[in-house]
Amino acid sequence: MSATVSIPTILRTHTGGEKQVKAEGSTLQEVIADLEANHPGIKDRLVTDGALHRFVNVYVNDEDVRFAGGLDAQVPDNGTVTILPAVAGGR
Amino acid sequence: MLVIRRDLVEELVAHARADHPREACGQLLGPEESDRPERYVPMTNADDPDAQGSDYRFDSREQFAVYKEATERDEETVVVFHSHTRVPRRPLTDSGLPEAYPSVKDIEYMGLQPGVHFVIVAITGPDSDYDLRSFLLDDAGEVVEDDVQVVENYMFSHTGAGDVPDRS
């Protein structure tokens, strides 16, 4: 079960500058664990206290995983995982 | 330095005025690595409107749809825009406007998008004057203010893009 993961600029320091990398896993949790194995340090940028970090939005195919089970979201074979920086501010 | 077309500035200000007193937000897209904003995409402010104070947050699903379309067009986010409106916690400056300067929370999120300009339009009401300033973070994470150059079009400005002739 392999997915293509799109990496935002801010996290490309972990992927040697690559915009897209492959990762194995059938859930987002497994995909992130596989990312961490190949790109150490990236997990801490995505997950905090067992949940997705508020600074990132993660999408499996076209759906925001916050509406699709969070870290338990299913990742289909040949699926896409897109990581975007959250955009917010004001206080 | 941010070089920006006048019609885009007018779009940002019109959006800020239309949404006052809520903060307006959006993004300016341009060709990849051009640093040249070409079109404005207003974004839904998904921050809880009933929360105290006025913050902004891009709607995450809408953000993805815009990202996907931009990627297909070889575009990227050049500018993230939001407005500062008149709220009690935000003191007015000598000009009578809220400060068009990034808050602590603004800076926290700016750090996620290196190289992106963050434009703030400060207004006090739908008909008020406005102040527009632009910022980015340097490599050390310090806030640096952009020198903003408003132009009629990019053909005769120093945009730095290789495919656009500069005025000699």
Side-chain angles (χ1 to χ4, degrees), chain B:
Chain B
M1 164 145 148
L2 175 67
V3 181
I4 181 170
R5 284 201 325 259
R6 185 176 309 280
D7 61 296
L8 294 173
V9 169
E10 287 166 359
E11 281 194 79
L12 302 185
V13 172
H15 189 191
R17 288 185 163 145
D19 282 16
H20 191 277
R22 286 209 75 196
E23 289 196 7
C25 59
Q27 47 187 328
L28 291 164
L29 304 179
E32 277 178 13
E33 309 203 359
S34 67
D35 206 29
R36 191 174 72 232
E38 290 282 5
R39 64 187 181 105
Y40 179 53
V41 181
M43 301 292 291
T44 302
N45 183 352
D47 196 66
D48 180 1
D50 297 325
Q52 279 293 330
S54 93
D55 284 11
Y56 81 98
R57 171 176 294 276
F58 280 10
D59 177 89
S60 64
R61 285 165 156 164
E62 186 181 48
Q63 183 188 354
F64 182 74
V66 172
Y67 164 83
K68 205 170 156 181
E69 192 203 35
T71 303
E72 282 163 7
R73 295 168 54 138
D74 293 326
E75 292 176 320
E76 64 184 6
T77 302
V78 179
V79 169
V80 169
F81 154 76
H82 75 285
S83 63
H84 277 179
T85 58
R86 185 167 191 177
V87 292
R89 68 164 195 277
R90 193 175 279 140
L92 302 183
T93 63
D94 291 345
S95 66
L97 292 168
E99 194 166 40
Y101 192 86
S103 67
V104 171
K105 183 175 172 185
D106 290 338
I107 294 166
E108 201 174 36
Y109 281 86
M110 284 168 72
L112 306 176
Q113 297 195 83
V116 172
H117 304 270
F118 283 76
V119 166
I120 300 173
V121 169
I123 55 170
T124 54
D127 303 314
S128 78
D129 289 339
Y130 69 89
D131 189 17
L132 181 149
R133 293 166 74 181
S134 177
F135 304 86
L136 33 75
L137 294 190
D138 66 14
D139 293 340
E142 297 295 319
V143 176
V144 177
E145 181 158 9
D146 282 315
D147 180 16
V148 178
Q149 189 187 345
V150 179
V151 297
E152 298 305 323
N153 62 62
Y154 295 132
M155 192 59 78
F156 299 109
S157 66
H158 294 270
T159 60
D163 58 341
V164 178
D166 285 338
R167 197 204 300 265
S168 59

Side-chain angles (χ1 to χ4, degrees), chain A residues 26-30 60 64-66 68-76:
Chain A
S26 57
T27 65
L28 181 59
Q29 185 118 275
E30 291 172 9
V60 171
D64 182 341
V65 299
R66 288 199 174 89
L71 291 170
D72 295 326
Q74 297 292 311
V75 179

